[in-house]
PDB file of all heavy atoms in Angstrom:
ATOM      1  N   ASP A   1       0.828  -1.210   0.054  1.00  0.00           N
ATOM      2  CA  ASP A   1      -0.003   0.026  -0.020  1.00  0.00           C
ATOM      3  C   ASP A   1       0.883   1.237   0.010  1.00  0.00           C
ATOM      4  O   ASP A   1       0.592   2.213  -0.723  1.00  0.00           O
ATOM      5  CB  ASP A   1      -0.911  -0.008   1.188  1.00  0.00           C
ATOM      6  CG  ASP A   1      -1.985  -1.091   1.158  1.00  0.00           C
ATOM      7  OD1 ASP A   1      -2.422  -1.349  -0.009  1.00  0.00           O
ATOM      8  OD2 ASP A   1      -2.343  -1.605   2.191  1.00  0.00           O
ATOM      9  N   TYR A   2       1.976   1.218   0.806  1.00  0.00           N
ATOM     10  CA  TYR A   2       2.838   2.377   0.810  1.00  0.00           C
ATOM     11  C   TYR A   2       3.496   2.628  -0.452  1.00  0.00           C
ATOM     12  O   TYR A   2       3.570   3.797  -0.913  1.00  0.00           O
ATOM     13  CB  TYR A   2       3.872   2.080   1.946  1.00  0.00           C
ATOM     14  CG  TYR A   2       5.027   3.112   1.913  1.00  0.00           C
ATOM     15  CD1 TYR A   2       4.840   4.264   2.521  1.00  0.00           C
ATOM     16  CD2 TYR A   2       6.224   2.822   1.330  1.00  0.00           C
ATOM     17  CE1 TYR A   2       5.935   5.178   2.595  1.00  0.00           C
ATOM     18  CE2 TYR A   2       7.281   3.728   1.338  1.00  0.00           C
ATOM     19  CZ  TYR A   2       7.072   4.959   1.990  1.00  0.00           C
ATOM     20  OH  TYR A   2       8.128   5.834   1.984  1.00  0.00           O
ATOM     21  N   MET A   3       3.954   1.574  -1.158  1.00  0.00           N
ATOM     22  CA  MET A   3       4.631   1.746  -2.491  1.00  0.00           C
ATOM     23  C   MET A   3       3.733   2.532  -3.458  1.00  0.00           C
ATOM     24  O   MET A   3       4.140   3.514  -4.063  1.00  0.00           O
ATOM     25  CB  MET A   3       4.955   0.401  -3.064  1.00  0.00           C
ATOM     26  CG  MET A   3       6.009  -0.418  -2.420  1.00  0.00           C
ATOM     27  SD  MET A   3       6.150  -2.033  -3.191  1.00  0.00           S
ATOM     28  CE  MET A   3       7.266  -2.876  -2.043  1.00  0.00           C
ATOM     29  N   PHE A   4       2.517   2.004  -3.517  1.00  0.00           N
ATOM     30  CA  PHE A   4       1.561   2.629  -4.618  1.00  0.00           C
ATOM     31  C   PHE A   4       1.053   3.983  -4.156  1.00  0.00           C
ATOM     32  O   PHE A   4       0.861   4.783  -5.080  1.00  0.00           O
ATOM     33  CB  PHE A   4       0.460   1.576  -4.907  1.00  0.00           C
ATOM     34  CG  PHE A   4       0.955   0.442  -5.830  1.00  0.00           C
ATOM     35  CD1 PHE A   4       1.176  -0.777  -5.252  1.00  0.00           C
ATOM     36  CD2 PHE A   4       1.253   0.678  -7.154  1.00  0.00           C
ATOM     37  CE1 PHE A   4       1.631  -1.846  -6.068  1.00  0.00           C
ATOM     38  CE2 PHE A   4       1.723  -0.380  -7.948  1.00  0.00           C
ATOM     39  CZ  PHE A   4       1.864  -1.634  -7.343  1.00  0.00           C
ATOM     40  N   ALA A   5       0.824   4.133  -2.918  1.00  0.00           N
ATOM     41  CA  ALA A   5       0.418   5.449  -2.388  1.00  0.00           C
ATOM     42  C   ALA A   5       1.523   6.501  -2.726  1.00  0.00           C
ATOM     43  O   ALA A   5       1.299   7.691  -3.112  1.00  0.00           O
ATOM     44  CB  ALA A   5       0.111   5.464  -0.898  1.00  0.00           C
ATOM     45  N   LYS A   6       2.781   6.125  -2.526  1.00  0.00           N
ATOM     46  CA  LYS A   6       3.971   6.959  -2.731  1.00  0.00           C
ATOM     47  C   LYS A   6       3.981   7.421  -4.262  1.00  0.00           C
ATOM     48  O   LYS A   6       4.237   8.687  -4.556  1.00  0.00           O
ATOM     49  CB  LYS A   6       5.246   6.195  -2.491  1.00  0.00           C
ATOM     50  CG  LYS A   6       6.521   6.987  -2.479  1.00  0.00           C
ATOM     51  CD  LYS A   6       6.652   7.869  -1.323  1.00  0.00           C
ATOM     52  CE  LYS A   6       7.982   8.588  -1.283  1.00  0.00           C
ATOM     53  NZ  LYS A   6       8.167   9.428  -0.041  1.00  0.00           N
ATOM     54  N   ILE A   7       3.767   6.491  -5.143  1.00  0.00           N
ATOM     55  CA  ILE A   7       3.819   6.884  -6.595  1.00  0.00           C
ATOM     56  C   ILE A   7       2.573   7.611  -7.101  1.00  0.00           C
ATOM     57  O   ILE A   7       2.449   8.164  -8.197  1.00  0.00           O
ATOM     58  CB  ILE A   7       4.110   5.718  -7.509  1.00  0.00           C
ATOM     59  CG1 ILE A   7       2.946   4.724  -7.558  1.00  0.00           C
ATOM     60  CG2 ILE A   7       5.312   5.011  -7.117  1.00  0.00           C
ATOM     61  CD1 ILE A   7       3.145   3.604  -8.669  1.00  0.00           C
ATOM     62  N   ASN A   8       1.509   7.659  -6.166  1.00  0.00           N
ATOM     63  CA  ASN A   8       0.287   8.313  -6.457  1.00  0.00           C
ATOM     64  C   ASN A   8       0.203   9.608  -5.691  1.00  0.00           C
ATOM     65  O   ASN A   8      -0.998  10.002  -5.260  1.00  0.00           O
ATOM     66  CB  ASN A   8      -0.927   7.379  -6.181  1.00  0.00           C
ATOM     67  CG  ASN A   8      -2.184   7.893  -6.828  1.00  0.00           C
ATOM     68  OD1 ASN A   8      -2.236   8.536  -7.809  1.00  0.00           O
ATOM     69  ND2 ASN A   8      -3.260   7.592  -6.033  1.00  0.00           N
ATOM     70  N   GLY A   9       1.249  10.237  -5.309  1.00  0.00           N
ATOM     71  CA  GLY A   9       1.195  11.493  -4.632  1.00  0.00           C
ATOM     72  C   GLY A   9       0.663  11.466  -3.184  1.00  0.00           C
ATOM     73  O   GLY A   9       0.065  12.398  -2.711  1.00  0.00           O
ATOM     74  N   GLY A  10       0.812  10.211  -2.547  1.00  0.00           N
ATOM     75  CA  GLY A  10       0.416   9.986  -1.227  1.00  0.00           C
ATOM     76  C   GLY A  10      -1.054   9.590  -1.103  1.00  0.00           C
ATOM     77  O   GLY A  10      -1.602   9.208   0.055  1.00  0.00           O
ATOM     78  N   LYS A  11      -1.713   9.436  -2.192  1.00  0.00           N
ATOM     79  CA  LYS A  11      -3.133   9.000  -2.169  1.00  0.00           C
ATOM     80  C   LYS A  11      -3.244   7.464  -2.250  1.00  0.00           C
ATOM     81  O   LYS A  11      -2.506   6.877  -3.048  1.00  0.00           O
ATOM     82  CB  LYS A  11      -4.041   9.689  -3.224  1.00  0.00           C
ATOM     83  CG  LYS A  11      -3.966  11.142  -3.179  1.00  0.00           C
ATOM     84  CD  LYS A  11      -4.686  11.745  -4.395  1.00  0.00           C
ATOM     85  CE  LYS A  11      -4.625  13.248  -4.363  1.00  0.00           C
ATOM     86  NZ  LYS A  11      -5.337  13.823  -5.617  1.00  0.00           N
ATOM     87  N   PRO A  12      -4.152   6.866  -1.475  1.00  0.00           N
ATOM     88  CA  PRO A  12      -4.325   5.384  -1.622  1.00  0.00           C
ATOM     89  C   PRO A  12      -4.678   4.876  -3.093  1.00  0.00           C
ATOM     90  O   PRO A  12      -5.363   5.628  -3.728  1.00  0.00           O
ATOM     91  CB  PRO A  12      -5.437   5.075  -0.623  1.00  0.00           C
ATOM     92  CG  PRO A  12      -5.447   6.259   0.259  1.00  0.00           C
ATOM     93  CD  PRO A  12      -5.070   7.403  -0.492  1.00  0.00           C
ATOM     94  N   VAL A  13      -4.179   3.709  -3.470  1.00  0.00           N
ATOM     95  CA  VAL A  13      -4.508   3.175  -4.666  1.00  0.00           C
ATOM     96  C   VAL A  13      -5.497   1.952  -4.548  1.00  0.00           C
ATOM     97  O   VAL A  13      -5.348   1.232  -3.565  1.00  0.00           O
ATOM     98  CB  VAL A  13      -3.239   2.728  -5.372  1.00  0.00           C
ATOM     99  CG1 VAL A  13      -3.538   1.928  -6.625  1.00  0.00           C
ATOM    100  CG2 VAL A  13      -2.402   3.947  -5.673  1.00  0.00           C
ATOM    101  N   THR A  14      -6.480   1.896  -5.477  1.00  0.00           N
ATOM    102  CA  THR A  14      -7.386   0.769  -5.378  1.00  0.00           C
ATOM    103  C   THR A  14      -7.313  -0.039  -6.675  1.00  0.00           C
ATOM    104  O   THR A  14      -6.574   0.350  -7.589  1.00  0.00           O
ATOM    105  CB  THR A  14      -8.838   1.287  -5.246  1.00  0.00           C
ATOM    106  OG1 THR A  14      -9.194   1.957  -6.463  1.00  0.00           O
ATOM    107  CG2 THR A  14      -8.969   2.282  -4.098  1.00  0.00           C
ATOM    108  N   ASP A  15      -8.040  -1.154  -6.721  1.00  0.00           N
ATOM    109  CA  ASP A  15      -8.015  -1.915  -7.923  1.00  0.00           C
ATOM    110  C   ASP A  15      -8.536  -1.156  -9.139  1.00  0.00           C
ATOM    111  O   ASP A  15      -8.184  -1.500 -10.294  1.00  0.00           O
ATOM    112  CB  ASP A  15      -8.951  -3.165  -7.725  1.00  0.00           C
ATOM    113  CG  ASP A  15      -8.319  -4.172  -6.747  1.00  0.00           C
ATOM    114  OD1 ASP A  15      -7.154  -4.069  -6.485  1.00  0.00           O
ATOM    115  OD2 ASP A  15      -8.973  -5.098  -6.335  1.00  0.00           O
ATOM    116  N   LYS A  16      -9.391  -0.187  -8.916  1.00  0.00           N
ATOM    117  CA  LYS A  16      -9.936   0.620 -10.018  1.00  0.00           C
ATOM    118  C   LYS A  16      -8.955   1.491 -10.688  1.00  0.00           C
ATOM    119  O   LYS A  16      -9.096   1.769 -11.917  1.00  0.00           O
ATOM    120  CB  LYS A  16     -11.210   1.366  -9.462  1.00  0.00           C
ATOM    121  CG  LYS A  16     -12.408   0.618  -9.052  1.00  0.00           C
ATOM    122  CD  LYS A  16     -13.555   1.470  -8.668  1.00  0.00           C
ATOM    123  CE  LYS A  16     -14.702   0.623  -8.224  1.00  0.00           C
ATOM    124  NZ  LYS A  16     -15.881   1.470  -7.836  1.00  0.00           N
ATOM    125  N   ASN A  17      -7.970   1.963  -9.975  1.00  0.00           N
ATOM    126  CA  ASN A  17      -7.054   2.962 -10.573  1.00  0.00           C
ATOM    127  C   ASN A  17      -5.610   2.577 -10.588  1.00  0.00           C
ATOM    128  O   ASN A  17      -4.811   3.326 -11.069  1.00  0.00           O
ATOM    129  CB  ASN A  17      -7.239   4.368  -9.856  1.00  0.00           C
ATOM    130  CG  ASN A  17      -6.712   4.297  -8.494  1.00  0.00           C
ATOM    131  OD1 ASN A  17      -6.346   3.294  -7.947  1.00  0.00           O
ATOM    132  ND2 ASN A  17      -6.598   5.441  -7.872  1.00  0.00           N
ATOM    133  N   ILE A  18      -5.293   1.356 -10.091  1.00  0.00           N
ATOM    134  CA  ILE A  18      -3.845   0.984  -9.900  1.00  0.00           C
ATOM    135  C   ILE A  18      -3.194   0.903 -11.272  1.00  0.00           C
ATOM    136  O   ILE A  18      -2.056   1.302 -11.413  1.00  0.00           O
ATOM    137  CB  ILE A  18      -3.735  -0.376  -9.137  1.00  0.00           C
ATOM    138  CG1 ILE A  18      -2.275  -0.699  -8.930  1.00  0.00           C
ATOM    139  CG2 ILE A  18      -4.392  -1.547  -9.861  1.00  0.00           C
ATOM    140  CD1 ILE A  18      -2.061  -1.856  -7.982  1.00  0.00           C
ATOM    141  N   GLN A  19      -3.827   0.359 -12.300  1.00  0.00           N
ATOM    142  CA  GLN A  19      -3.193   0.274 -13.644  1.00  0.00           C
ATOM    143  C   GLN A  19      -2.947   1.634 -14.205  1.00  0.00           C
ATOM    144  O   GLN A  19      -1.881   1.909 -14.751  1.00  0.00           O
ATOM    145  CB  GLN A  19      -4.040  -0.506 -14.566  1.00  0.00           C
ATOM    146  CG  GLN A  19      -3.319  -0.901 -15.860  1.00  0.00           C
ATOM    147  CD  GLN A  19      -4.148  -1.955 -16.657  1.00  0.00           C
ATOM    148  OE1 GLN A  19      -5.299  -2.212 -16.461  1.00  0.00           O
ATOM    149  NE2 GLN A  19      -3.424  -2.618 -17.591  1.00  0.00           N
ATOM    150  N   ALA A  20      -3.924   2.506 -14.103  1.00  0.00           N
ATOM    151  CA  ALA A  20      -3.761   3.912 -14.574  1.00  0.00           C
ATOM    152  C   ALA A  20      -2.723   4.659 -13.849  1.00  0.00           C
ATOM    153  O   ALA A  20      -1.904   5.403 -14.484  1.00  0.00           O
ATOM    154  CB  ALA A  20      -5.177   4.621 -14.556  1.00  0.00           C
ATOM    155  N   VAL A  21      -2.710   4.599 -12.586  1.00  0.00           N
ATOM    156  CA  VAL A  21      -1.734   5.205 -11.762  1.00  0.00           C
ATOM    157  C   VAL A  21      -0.306   4.724 -12.091  1.00  0.00           C
ATOM    158  O   VAL A  21       0.684   5.538 -12.282  1.00  0.00           O
ATOM    159  CB  VAL A  21      -1.991   4.932 -10.176  1.00  0.00           C
ATOM    160  CG1 VAL A  21      -0.719   5.333  -9.382  1.00  0.00           C
ATOM    161  CG2 VAL A  21      -3.137   5.738  -9.795  1.00  0.00           C
ATOM    162  N   THR A  22      -0.165   3.398 -12.255  1.00  0.00           N
ATOM    163  CA  THR A  22       1.108   2.849 -12.635  1.00  0.00           C
ATOM    164  C   THR A  22       1.598   3.345 -13.969  1.00  0.00           C
ATOM    165  O   THR A  22       2.810   3.655 -14.236  1.00  0.00           O
ATOM    166  CB  THR A  22       1.108   1.315 -12.594  1.00  0.00           C
ATOM    167  OG1 THR A  22       0.719   0.926 -11.277  1.00  0.00           O
ATOM    168  CG2 THR A  22       2.410   0.747 -12.941  1.00  0.00           C
ATOM    169  N   GLU A  23       0.707   3.289 -14.952  1.00  0.00           N
ATOM    170  CA  GLU A  23       1.085   3.772 -16.255  1.00  0.00           C
ATOM    171  C   GLU A  23       1.482   5.230 -16.333  1.00  0.00           C
ATOM    172  O   GLU A  23       2.438   5.599 -16.972  1.00  0.00           O
ATOM    173  CB  GLU A  23       0.054   3.550 -17.320  1.00  0.00           C
ATOM    174  CG  GLU A  23       0.357   3.763 -18.725  1.00  0.00           C
ATOM    175  CD  GLU A  23      -0.470   3.041 -19.738  1.00  0.00           C
ATOM    176  OE1 GLU A  23      -1.187   1.975 -19.372  1.00  0.00           O
ATOM    177  OE2 GLU A  23      -0.469   3.472 -20.918  1.00  0.00           O
ATOM    178  N   LYS A  24       0.704   5.997 -15.516  1.00  0.00           N
ATOM    179  CA  LYS A  24       1.132   7.496 -15.489  1.00  0.00           C
ATOM    180  C   LYS A  24       2.542   7.673 -14.766  1.00  0.00           C
ATOM    181  O   LYS A  24       3.286   8.452 -15.267  1.00  0.00           O
ATOM    182  CB  LYS A  24       0.073   8.203 -14.655  1.00  0.00           C
ATOM    183  CG  LYS A  24       0.397   9.756 -14.468  1.00  0.00           C
ATOM    184  CD  LYS A  24      -0.762  10.410 -13.613  1.00  0.00           C
ATOM    185  CE  LYS A  24      -0.425  11.828 -13.439  1.00  0.00           C
ATOM    186  NZ  LYS A  24      -1.474  12.447 -12.556  1.00  0.00           N
ATOM    187  N   TYR A  25       2.737   6.874 -13.775  1.00  0.00           N
ATOM    188  CA  TYR A  25       4.044   6.958 -13.067  1.00  0.00           C
ATOM    189  C   TYR A  25       5.253   6.475 -14.063  1.00  0.00           C
ATOM    190  O   TYR A  25       6.172   7.184 -14.085  1.00  0.00           O
ATOM    191  CB  TYR A  25       3.970   5.863 -11.948  1.00  0.00           C
ATOM    192  CG  TYR A  25       5.350   5.525 -11.317  1.00  0.00           C
ATOM    193  CD1 TYR A  25       6.088   6.428 -10.581  1.00  0.00           C
ATOM    194  CD2 TYR A  25       5.902   4.155 -11.495  1.00  0.00           C
ATOM    195  CE1 TYR A  25       7.355   6.048 -10.012  1.00  0.00           C
ATOM    196  CE2 TYR A  25       7.073   3.872 -10.973  1.00  0.00           C
ATOM    197  CZ  TYR A  25       7.792   4.767 -10.249  1.00  0.00           C
ATOM    198  OH  TYR A  25       9.050   4.425  -9.720  1.00  0.00           O
ATOM    199  N   LEU A  26       5.020   5.435 -14.885  1.00  0.00           N
ATOM    200  CA  LEU A  26       5.991   5.036 -15.837  1.00  0.00           C
ATOM    201  C   LEU A  26       6.173   6.147 -16.881  1.00  0.00           C
ATOM    202  O   LEU A  26       7.326   6.386 -17.381  1.00  0.00           O
ATOM    203  CB  LEU A  26       5.619   3.772 -16.474  1.00  0.00           C
ATOM    204  CG  LEU A  26       5.626   2.601 -15.538  1.00  0.00           C
ATOM    205  CD1 LEU A  26       5.105   1.298 -16.250  1.00  0.00           C
ATOM    206  CD2 LEU A  26       7.003   2.308 -14.888  1.00  0.00           C
ATOM    207  N   LEU A  27       5.109   6.817 -17.345  1.00  0.00           N
ATOM    208  CA  LEU A  27       5.306   7.925 -18.354  1.00  0.00           C
ATOM    209  C   LEU A  27       5.906   9.186 -17.802  1.00  0.00           C
ATOM    210  O   LEU A  27       6.806   9.778 -18.294  1.00  0.00           O
ATOM    211  CB  LEU A  27       3.948   8.233 -18.828  1.00  0.00           C
ATOM    212  CG  LEU A  27       3.311   7.369 -19.961  1.00  0.00           C
ATOM    213  CD1 LEU A  27       1.854   7.742 -20.223  1.00  0.00           C
ATOM    214  CD2 LEU A  27       4.071   7.479 -21.272  1.00  0.00           C
ATOM    215  N   LYS A  28       5.421   9.629 -16.599  1.00  0.00           N
ATOM    216  CA  LYS A  28       5.755  10.901 -16.110  1.00  0.00           C
ATOM    217  C   LYS A  28       7.009  10.926 -15.195  1.00  0.00           C
ATOM    218  O   LYS A  28       7.863  11.826 -15.222  1.00  0.00           O
ATOM    219  CB  LYS A  28       4.541  11.530 -15.252  1.00  0.00           C
ATOM    220  CG  LYS A  28       3.292  11.734 -16.116  1.00  0.00           C
ATOM    221  CD  LYS A  28       3.485  12.654 -17.311  1.00  0.00           C
ATOM    222  CE  LYS A  28       2.121  12.872 -17.914  1.00  0.00           C
ATOM    223  NZ  LYS A  28       2.296  13.855 -19.117  1.00  0.00           N
ATOM    224  N   THR A  29       7.165   9.924 -14.382  1.00  0.00           N
ATOM    225  CA  THR A  29       8.255   9.897 -13.411  1.00  0.00           C
ATOM    226  C   THR A  29       9.436   9.064 -13.997  1.00  0.00           C
ATOM    227  O   THR A  29      10.587   9.479 -13.990  1.00  0.00           O
ATOM    228  CB  THR A  29       7.788   9.304 -12.094  1.00  0.00           C
ATOM    229  OG1 THR A  29       6.664  10.065 -11.571  1.00  0.00           O
ATOM    230  CG2 THR A  29       8.971   9.260 -11.065  1.00  0.00           C
ATOM    231  N   VAL A  30       9.182   7.838 -14.431  1.00  0.00           N
ATOM    232  CA  VAL A  30      10.238   6.978 -14.976  1.00  0.00           C
ATOM    233  C   VAL A  30      10.671   7.411 -16.369  1.00  0.00           C
ATOM    234  O   VAL A  30      11.687   7.170 -16.837  1.00  0.00           O
ATOM    235  CB  VAL A  30       9.800   5.454 -14.953  1.00  0.00           C
ATOM    236  CG1 VAL A  30      10.849   4.588 -15.437  1.00  0.00           C
ATOM    237  CG2 VAL A  30       9.291   5.101 -13.537  1.00  0.00           C
ATOM    238  N   GLU A  31       9.688   8.126 -17.050  1.00  0.00           N
ATOM    239  CA  GLU A  31      10.018   8.769 -18.379  1.00  0.00           C
ATOM    240  C   GLU A  31      10.237   7.706 -19.422  1.00  0.00           C
ATOM    241  O   GLU A  31      11.042   7.822 -20.240  1.00  0.00           O
ATOM    242  CB  GLU A  31      11.186   9.754 -18.329  1.00  0.00           C
ATOM    243  CG  GLU A  31      10.880  10.919 -17.357  1.00  0.00           C
ATOM    244  CD  GLU A  31      12.019  11.954 -17.410  1.00  0.00           C
ATOM    245  OE1 GLU A  31      13.121  11.562 -17.841  1.00  0.00           O
ATOM    246  OE2 GLU A  31      11.809  13.022 -16.890  1.00  0.00           O
ATOM    247  N   LEU A  32       9.424   6.628 -19.337  1.00  0.00           N
ATOM    248  CA  LEU A  32       9.361   5.744 -20.475  1.00  0.00           C
ATOM    249  C   LEU A  32       8.417   6.373 -21.470  1.00  0.00           C
ATOM    250  O   LEU A  32       7.523   7.133 -21.215  1.00  0.00           O
ATOM    251  CB  LEU A  32       8.750   4.375 -20.024  1.00  0.00           C
ATOM    252  CG  LEU A  32       9.594   3.515 -19.102  1.00  0.00           C
ATOM    253  CD1 LEU A  32       8.867   2.291 -18.742  1.00  0.00           C
ATOM    254  CD2 LEU A  32      10.919   3.151 -19.683  1.00  0.00           C
ATOM    255  N   SER A  33       8.677   5.987 -22.823  1.00  0.00           N
ATOM    256  CA  SER A  33       7.786   6.453 -23.863  1.00  0.00           C
ATOM    257  C   SER A  33       6.485   5.519 -23.862  1.00  0.00           C
ATOM    258  O   SER A  33       6.560   4.404 -23.340  1.00  0.00           O
ATOM    259  CB  SER A  33       8.436   6.426 -25.172  1.00  0.00           C
ATOM    260  OG  SER A  33       8.782   5.032 -25.574  1.00  0.00           O
ATOM    261  N   GLN A  34       5.445   6.006 -24.499  1.00  0.00           N
ATOM    262  CA  GLN A  34       4.289   5.223 -24.611  1.00  0.00           C
ATOM    263  C   GLN A  34       4.514   3.942 -25.429  1.00  0.00           C
ATOM    264  O   GLN A  34       4.017   2.852 -25.093  1.00  0.00           O
ATOM    265  CB  GLN A  34       3.159   5.945 -25.234  1.00  0.00           C
ATOM    266  CG  GLN A  34       1.754   5.281 -25.314  1.00  0.00           C
ATOM    267  CD  GLN A  34       1.231   4.937 -23.897  1.00  0.00           C
ATOM    268  OE1 GLN A  34       1.120   5.801 -23.140  1.00  0.00           O
ATOM    269  NE2 GLN A  34       0.962   3.655 -23.566  1.00  0.00           N
ATOM    270  N   SER A  35       5.372   4.059 -26.407  1.00  0.00           N
ATOM    271  CA  SER A  35       5.809   2.892 -27.242  1.00  0.00           C
ATOM    272  C   SER A  35       6.516   1.831 -26.431  1.00  0.00           C
ATOM    273  O   SER A  35       6.313   0.619 -26.529  1.00  0.00           O
ATOM    274  CB  SER A  35       6.624   3.315 -28.456  1.00  0.00           C
ATOM    275  OG  SER A  35       7.738   3.852 -28.049  1.00  0.00           O
ATOM    276  N   GLN A  36       7.263   2.311 -25.461  1.00  0.00           N
ATOM    277  CA  GLN A  36       8.077   1.410 -24.591  1.00  0.00           C
ATOM    278  C   GLN A  36       7.082   0.623 -23.705  1.00  0.00           C
ATOM    279  O   GLN A  36       7.153  -0.551 -23.426  1.00  0.00           O
ATOM    280  CB  GLN A  36       9.161   2.059 -23.744  1.00  0.00           C
ATOM    281  CG  GLN A  36      10.368   2.540 -24.574  1.00  0.00           C
ATOM    282  CD  GLN A  36      11.336   3.304 -23.759  1.00  0.00           C
ATOM    283  OE1 GLN A  36      11.028   4.127 -23.067  1.00  0.00           O
ATOM    284  NE2 GLN A  36      12.608   2.959 -23.874  1.00  0.00           N
TER     285      GLN A  36
END
């Protein structure tokens, strides 16, 4: 829970948004391209 809240700006993550939160994290923070 701590890991995913950390990458979501401190907000809890649920099954409904975990995939979207993770993809945003990879795009914006990790700076992967959408093609990657």
Side-chain angles (χ1 to χ4, degrees):
D1 292 326
Y2 170 81
M3 289 176 191
F4 284 103
K6 187 77 173 179
I7 69 174
N8 194 36
K11 300 176 183 177
V13 172
T14 67
D15 290 347
K16 291 183 179 180
N17 69 350
I18 186 172
Q19 190 170 18
V21 165
T22 301
E23 187 158 339
K24 181 180 178 182
Y25 164 71
L26 293 177
L27 278 169
K28 302 297 185 181
T29 302
V30 183
E31 296 184 347
L32 293 176
S33 66
Q34 186 61 58
S35 63
Q36 286 176 313

